[in-house]
Amino acid sequence: MFMHNKRLMYTVRVAEPNPVLANMMLEQFGGADGELAAAMRYFTQGLAEDDPGRKDMLLDIATEELSHLEIIGSIVAMLNKGAKGRLAEGVDAEADALVMLNAGGDSHITHLLYGGGPTLANSAGVPFSGAYVDSRGEPTVDLRSNIAAEARAKIVYERLINITDDAGIKDALTFLMTREVAHQKSFEKALYSIENNFPPGKLPGHPDFTDKFYDMSQGEGDMRGPWNEGEQWEFVDDRDDQAAVDGGDGSASVKMPAKDAKAVKAAAARAASDSALNPITGADLGAGPGAGKTTPLSP
Amino acid sequence: MFMHNKRLMYTVRVAEPNPVLANMMLEQFGGADGELAAAMRYFTQGLAEDDPGRKDMLLDIATEELSHLEIIGSIVAMLNKGAKGRLAEGVDAEADALVMLNAGGDSHITHLLYGGGPTLANSAGVPFSGAYVDSRGEPTVDLRSNIAAEARAKIVYERLINITDDAGIKDALTFLMTREVAHQKSFEKALYSIENNFPPGKLPGHPDFTDKFYDMSQGEGDMRGPWNEGEQWEFVDDRDDQAAVDGGDGSASVKMPAKDAKAVKAAAARAASDSALNPITGADLGAGPGAGKTTPLSP
Amino acid sequence: MFMHNKRLMYTVRVAEPNPVLANMMLEQFGGADGELAAAMRYFTQGLAEDDPGRKDMLLDIATEELSHLEIIGSIVAMLNKGAKGRLAEGVDAEADALVMLNAGGDSHITHLLYGGGPTLANSAGVPFSGAYVDSRGEPTVDLRSNIAAEARAKIVYERLINITDDAGIKDALTFLMTREVAHQKSFEKALYSIENNFPPGKLPGHPDFTDKFYDMSQGEGDMRGPWNEGEQWEFVDDRDDQAAVDGGDGSASVKMPAKDAKAVKAAAARAASDSALNPITGADLGAGPGAGKTTPLSP
Amino acid sequence: MFMHNKRLMYTVRVAEPNPVLANMMLEQFGGADGELAAAMRYFTQGLAEDDPGRKDMLLDIATEELSHLEIIGSIVAMLNKGAKGRLAEGVDAEADALVMLNAGGDSHITHLLYGGGPTLANSAGVPFSGAYVDSRGEPTVDLRSNIAAEARAKIVYERLINITDDAGIKDALTFLMTREVAHQKSFEKALYSIENNFPPGKLPGHPDFTDKFYDMSQGEGDMRGPWNEGEQWEFVDDRDDQAAVDGGDGSASVKMPAKDAKAVKAAAARAASDSALNPITGADLGAGPGAGKTTPLSP
Amino acid sequence: MFMHNKRLMYTVRVAEPNPVLANMMLEQFGGADGELAAAMRYFTQGLAEDDPGRKDMLLDIATEELSHLEIIGSIVAMLNKGAKGRLAEGVDAEADALVMLNAGGDSHITHLLYGGGPTLANSAGVPFSGAYVDSRGEPTVDLRSNIAAEARAKIVYERLINITDDAGIKDALTFLMTREVAHQKSFEKALYSIENNFPPGKLPGHPDFTDKFYDMSQGEGDMRGPWNEGEQWEFVDDRDDQAAVDGGDGSASVKMPAKDAKAVKAAAARAASDSALNPITGADLGAGPGAGKTTPLSP
Amino acid sequence: MFMHNKRLMYTVRVAEPNPVLANMMLEQFGGADGELAAAMRYFTQGLAEDDPGRKDMLLDIATEELSHLEIIGSIVAMLNKGAKGRLAEGVDAEADALVMLNAGGDSHITHLLYGGGPTLANSAGVPFSGAYVDSRGEPTVDLRSNIAAEARAKIVYERLINITDDAGIKDALTFLMTREVAHQKSFEKALYSIENNFPPGKLPGHPDFTDKFYDMSQGEGDMRGPWNEGEQWEFVDDRDDQAAVDGGDGSASVKMPAKDAKAVKAAAARAASDSALNPITGADLGAGPGAGKTTPLSP
């Protein structure tokens, strides 16, 4: 059960309204790496988790992310408050109001459609998608996804800090950014607390293909490094050794019942291409002046 | 700030695993009228609300909806638990496993992709969209949207109850459904606590068009009722009185600077249609045997 | 069957081209509360409606909304006409053309991709979504959704009017805004023409939970009002009375067949967390200089 | 202005309810090639069209497609009517109701969420997207898109006819399918009525690259045909002649101001990869038993 | 199997960084008519194609489009390189950085979220959608869709050229634009190499409806042209002849089993509208001062 | 530049058609963790990468993933081939055809809409989204995302293997699964080749908040582990120490110019809630028989 305390986890002090900056902040409210995505990521994992320690950790962090969502949402609300009030009351000349909404980012939709509130969209106005939450129900997978998600959130906060000169906002963003670092550390600890966490899942890989590195991109700029060099790797750069690595002919085939085969054949015949003739085409008709246009419509 | 208590708001007792039913339940987890949509609807409104009473109410109900999200998510997790474990461990014959995932709904994607956890998608596997939250930042609008959203959530719960014969789930769903009724009542009280809540916003309507009802659909089945009859209404069924109601000619026009007008004219000339000639077309070429196909490609 | 009369329902007179304003207007063409959403909302409800009076009303209003779609689309077309022609003919210097498209809103995509026509997207370029239409097939629900949708559309028109100083556009928008008010009135009449329209649907709520208000958000700012006070309400603010309100233990459980239980246990064991050891993690490796980096790759 | 006549353009006679078939029919209601997409495609083009003949044609066909939308929507409503009523009244045992909704397709969401009405989604429950409408505001482009769209709609109707044995539905679908053929013919005539309709737009192609065919896929199965053979084509199959066809070195470069260059260099240095050392990685830690796990957490 | 050569198909020389222009270029990277959509369109068709000539052609062109994707992506990367480095290193004053990101288009999201790389989104920040690829698995349909797609891509490139004054970019865009023209020609040849390619598919249209043109939009502006005039057409403008063209009554009906009919009737009765009474509504309560507001909450 | 060799990277031998299984396989073609997402993830990173070693590695792996996309797409095409042909030729009785398409998964849409080809959608028919690619333009972030993405892809392949009893498909899937493991290893090596890769980005965290773990979820089930215990952590479980951790009052505030403040105040006053009165509401009207319904409409 969730409970709410009216005090924010971090005090929000905004120096002055700024709808453009508000719009940018939405990236961490309703964006791909934002706090809602984070909260829901850990919450959904926690509900389905059977390991008691991880379950507890996931619900702890999910709840904290909801509290972060409240902080960033409050920043948005404060930054938009002035423009929201002015548009609602119609106190500006129309042209001025258009300019105000159109000062940058996609703040126009934040105000025209969403009325200046924090909204489940990113800084381009794209609605939040449940697909941002990439939980897959296997702990050694999900913890890696969580680590990556925290890393992504950290860098987006860093960018927001780099475009903000409001000290109060900067402070709050720094707190939020720092917590992503702390959460990444927790998820790392949880991942490595699982013995044999690599490769993820239960099925082992096929030994013939685990240690090969296929050099698929060739030319000036080819390099070697620990990702394809050393005792862990077999480097395959011969093009012939890259194709049909199973030793077959590299074709695709299916055995079909007679009824299916007959229908497939009929369909192919119906749409067979006559590659020996050079047909006049629509483009041919359209490319030249008057080509084939002959009949006056009415006398 | 949010806090979490490990006890659910309502105890979840599931009688047996059922991945198909689990999939249906997702409608209220990650679906359009589900608990996440509800929680976020009131939370985002609450953050931007200036009226202290409404702000408190919105945060109260938002927090309760998060607790509901936890209940419905737990139901999903319990219903999926068996299939999740069996697929993870690969204990079934492959064909049986395929059948298990394919027993109905879209439970296949819940297990293949999401690993059996509650996920931010609806019963058809469509990811949750931030667009489900239709807050507009004007209280007399948002409260009406909230009333409608609660009504929608109520009816979806009713349908889920009608397809569930698991007593424990039925109990929990009935609790959740009932709370939607209670919330609707709260939002109604809040709406009518605002004097002059209709029409919403500040600008009045134009008196010439407020009371007219345009009978745009005509024929057998035409009816009258309080929505277009009585002293509040002027009924307009003459087709001529429905067009160009401003008294103009019903055309669309724009005054353009000369440079624009010239460019528009040039573009139109370039793509002008010659409506007097009957051209041979691609369809003409394609409709008959051999039409226009004349040149052998190679000797 | 639909028929079309070439006269608009309201004459559109645009004073001068303005691609930025055109882009804003898209909110009511292809946006969430726009005329297409409205028309399709009532049209889909009308097709499935059995009550003859409501069916007629829904088709009347759906048809009118299509006529409104034509008006707002014509405004967009007129506002964009100049920029469209200039870009098509390439009459501006390239840098000027870039500036023209980039003057604000998301008018760049309206011109680059959509070629200046009215398009099924909102002012941020997000494509229209069928999910905007939230019909649920139960009249007491859908009518409330319609009331809310008209309220939303009204306020968005009000905002557009507040940013427009073109008298002809202002007139047309005022007509459109006013009609939303009239439609809301019709839907209200239709809703209250249904006896016992609350709660929606057939199943009653559970009497234990209909009248409770759970005070989930607490702290400075707590308030009471008609939404949680008075004879209709029982106010629950004790945190213990908010958890496990069914009197159970607030846990989630499922009875599983032995085969399922065994698989679940095996999966849990495989990914069990060892919470007693403090593992070295990837973050540990990455945080310090040279930590664990020991082997030169090649001699 | 649109008007509505209560008679359908084609009488709909459904022999018996069938929610699964209803769900399939949604493909032509709210699907990618469905009637709404068609109607909106021509309607949006018509509003922005300056050529009077094409404008008239586009509005004629747009209006007819709306009338088709009504036909296919009515088919959906009739097929769903029984299941809708039964679920609303709860007349089936719960398990039977679950089976009824789960008989196939995605009819479960049509009933659980949409209440059995025709809805703006396709047969998989994916909401209609404005992106289905690919109008680009250039007639020689849009007419080709319209021709293609009609061809797509034709084939989807053909498939629906192939899975329907209800004679009344088959008749109506055949009517709808036939009209797509007729519309394709109209759009072909309109395209070829524009002199010099190929290539589309105003800018000519670069003569060096208009007639080349690059044989990018090589190996067993290589073939020639009129699409790359004959006097219109120069066939390029030497891999060296396919790369850097401008005669340059095939690299990508940008000239940056000093300040930019310095920042880019600093960023690269910060994240430089040391390719000479073979680091221990997280996967290394996770792959072996106990690797690097050394510290007991508490005494 | 795909292979990669580090040389680009066309050398990319960018004169100076320009994040706004970069953002516009995304239209052809991750946009609806962009190179990824094109590559995937032909690739998916090629995989399922049985005709050997067409299969080869589709894979040739798919591979070339991937090489074009690399060109346009490299242009984006070069244009963004400076801003990316500066934001990563935080070398600008915060306000300057905000201005830099906010100079136009949606370049703010390209940098805040995507870090300045080419990204699978269009110029408005809308993520690429698989629905852009409209392959339908019938060659006479898909080839028409391909022709249309090439035409759309051509015109979008033309517009990008019209807003670019960087000579190196202009050259590369001209190459890319020209190749769309060449591809359209190939697809035209392939289409007309199929005998009887019109109408698409196997089922013929119904002869009663193939040649009719329904004049659904009437009024000033009605015109005739080869699309509805001439020996191929029967023109139907009488409104009565447009409705119920099958000769029926134009209604929709379904025969239902008794159990269904009973449930439908019960549902209708429950929500029956009483059209004879004029109810007081919520809007009535809200429209006037104090209407019906009578009870003080607390003594 | 990309080149294509007609031999697949792994030979595809399918034992018999199976549209249901084909549909499941789409998860790795157009799904969130599928091969297109993988290829585009590395390709977009590679284009913007400045480090020569990583750039080479990213393009190598991107190209290999495209070759994997071809393998999984060929499996889909083979599995669907029979059903595709039968539906195209209409060789089954209609009811049989309906059953064939409706045998499970969402294979109905694969055939009705996409014509049986591999398509850019997942197993639930949801179109591929560019948002699946979460590149952020910072190597220490993107490499972590890549590691996680490979882990996710591995587990989805494992599940597909668990539901497949076709030996040829199982072989190919095992190859594909194994390659994800190998790629994860490469990305791990690349990540740890960057010295000081944690925390990502340039800005350090705030030391006050880096090592705290907030115990936000409390109650039965609380546990400790290396993620919140040990010398790296300070554990905060007092609720008061979790709120307003900056030492402020936990409120949100903004300083507004006088004009803004006045408008905000006016807007608040207009929508002020009168919390002392208990209004009659729409729900009150609707809840009881005849409440307030008084006026007969017509004499």
Side-chain angles (χ1 to χ4, degrees), chain F residues 207-230:
Chain F
D208 288 358
F209 305 117
T210 308
D211 300 331
K212 285 197 173 63
F213 187 95
Y214 294 105
D215 181 30
M216 305 302 283
S217 170
Q218 302 186 2
E220 198 173 344
D222 258 2
M223 280 194 62
R224 302 293 295 271
W227 45 83
N228 62 19
E229 193 179 15

Side-chain angles (χ1 to χ4, degrees), chain A residues 1-7 50-51 53-54 86-90 92-95 97-98 101-102 105-106 108-109 111-116 124-127 138-140 184-185 188-190 192-196 200-202 224-227 229-231, chain C residues 18 20-21 23-25 27 31-33 103-106 122-124 126 132 155-156 158-165 170 215-223 239 242-244 264 268 270-275 277-284 297-298:
Chain A
M1 184 185 79
F2 287 96
M3 299 164 289
H4 185 262
N5 175 331
K6 287 199 161 56
R7 283 196 299 162
D50 279 327
D51 186 85
R54 279 199 304 269
R86 290 164 69 162
L87 185 61
E89 297 306 300
D92 297 288
E94 292 92 343
L98 179 58
L101 293 199
N102 195 32
D106 282 83
H108 57 281
I109 195 173
H111 284 276
L112 279 180
L113 183 62
Y114 300 120
V126 177
E138 156 62 46
T140 63
Q184 182 177 342
K185 280 169 45 183
E188 296 254 3
K189 288 292 178 189
Y192 293 98
S193 296
I194 302 172
E195 205 171 358
N196 297 328
K202 190 177 181 188
R224 302 294 296 271
W227 43 84
E229 193 178 17
E231 61 180 19
Chain C
N18 186 337
V20 175
L21 191 59
N23 182 260
M24 305 291 177
M25 295 291 155
E27 209 54 66
D33 302 330
D106 282 81
N122 68 12
S123 73
V126 177
Y132 295 157
I155 202 72
V156 175
E158 179 167 335
R159 290 169 184 159
L160 288 174
I161 291 170
N162 280 350
I163 61 168
T164 313
D165 57 9
K170 237 177 161 69
D215 180 29
M216 305 301 282
S217 171
Q218 300 184 4
E220 198 172 344
D222 260 3
M223 279 195 61
R239 291 295 189 191
Q242 294 173 343
V264 168
R270 195 158 47 77
S273 167
D274 182 347
S275 59
L277 279 183
N278 191 14
I280 295 178
T281 71
D284 293 333
L297 253 185
S298 45

Side-chain angles (χ1 to χ4, degrees), chain D residues 18 20-21 23-25 27 31-33 103-106 122-124 126 132 155-156 158-165 170 215-223 239 242-244 264 268 270-275 277-284 297-298, chain F residues 1-7 50-51 53-54 86-90 92-95 97-98 101-102 105-106 108-109 111-116 124-127 138-140 184-185 188-190 192-196 200-202 224-227 229-231:
Chain D
N18 187 336
V20 175
L21 192 58
N23 181 260
M24 306 291 179
M25 295 292 155
E27 210 54 66
D33 302 330
D106 282 82
N122 69 9
S123 75
V126 177
Y132 296 157
I155 203 71
V156 175
E158 179 167 335
R159 290 169 184 158
L160 288 174
I161 291 169
N162 279 351
I163 62 168
T164 312
D165 57 10
K170 240 178 159 68
D215 181 30
M216 306 300 284
S217 171
Q218 301 186 2
E220 197 173 345
D222 259 3
M223 279 194 62
R239 290 298 189 190
Q242 295 173 343
V264 167
R270 194 159 48 77
S273 167
D274 181 346
S275 60
L277 279 183
N278 190 13
I280 297 178
T281 71
D284 293 332
L297 252 185
S298 45
Chain F
M1 183 185 78
F2 289 95
M3 299 163 287
H4 185 261
N5 175 332
K6 289 202 160 53
R7 283 196 299 162
D50 280 326
D51 186 85
R54 280 200 302 270
R86 292 165 70 164
L87 185 61
E89 296 307 299
D92 298 289
E94 293 92 341
L98 180 58
L101 292 199
N102 194 30
D106 283 82
H108 56 281
I109 194 172
H111 284 277
L112 279 180
L113 183 62
Y114 301 120
V126 177
E138 156 63 46
T140 63
Q184 182 176 342
K185 280 170 43 186
E188 296 252 3
K189 288 293 180 190
Y192 294 99
S193 296
I194 301 173
E195 205 172 1
N196 295 328
K202 189 175 181 190
R224 302 293 295 271
W227 45 83
E229 193 179 15
E231 59 180 21

Side-chain angles (χ1 to χ4, degrees), chain F residues 72-232:
Chain F
I72 190 82
S74 297
I75 293 175
V76 171
M78 292 302 114
L79 284 167
N80 273 335
K81 198 168 181 140
K84 176 184 170 173
R86 292 165 70 164
L87 185 61
E89 296 307 299
V91 297
D92 298 289
E94 293 92 341
D96 293 346
L98 180 58
V99 167
M100 176 178 68
L101 292 199
N102 194 30
D106 283 82
S107 57
H108 56 281
I109 194 172
T110 309
H111 284 277
L112 279 180
L113 183 62
Y114 301 120
T119 188
L120 296 193
N122 69 10
S123 74
V126 177
F128 177 86
S129 166
Y132 295 158
V133 177
D134 50 19
S135 306
R136 295 293 175 263
E138 156 63 46
T140 63
V141 169
D142 287 347
L143 288 167
R144 286 183 168 92
S145 292
N146 298 354
I147 288 167
E150 294 290 349
R152 291 195 299 272
K154 195 271 177 186
I155 202 72
V156 175
Y157 272 124
E158 179 167 334
R159 290 169 185 158
L160 288 174
I161 291 170
N162 280 350
I163 63 169
T164 314
D165 57 10
D166 179 317
I169 296 179
K170 238 179 159 70
D171 277 355
L173 294 179
T174 299
F175 166 72
L176 294 169
M177 181 188 77
T178 302
R179 296 305 299 156
E180 312 294 16
V181 176
H183 294 162
Q184 182 176 342
K185 280 170 43 186
S186 288
F187 292 127
E188 296 252 3
K189 288 293 180 190
L191 173 61
Y192 294 99
S193 296
I194 301 173
E195 205 172 1
N196 295 328
N197 60 67
F198 179 84
K202 189 175 181 190
L203 288 183
H206 190 293
D208 288 358
F209 305 117
T210 308
D211 300 331
K212 285 197 173 63
F213 187 95
Y214 294 105
D215 181 30
M216 305 302 283
S217 170
Q218 302 186 2
E220 198 173 344
D222 258 2
M223 280 194 62
R224 302 293 295 271
W227 45 83
N228 62 19
E229 193 179 15
E231 59 180 21
Q232 288 189 11

Side-chain angles (χ1 to χ4, degrees), chain B residues 4 6 54 94 102 106 193, chain F residues 105-106 170 216-218 271:
Chain B
H4 184 261
K6 287 202 159 53
R54 281 200 303 270
E94 292 91 342
N102 195 30
D106 282 81
S193 295
Chain F
D106 283 82
K170 238 179 159 70
M216 305 302 283
S217 170
Q218 302 186 2

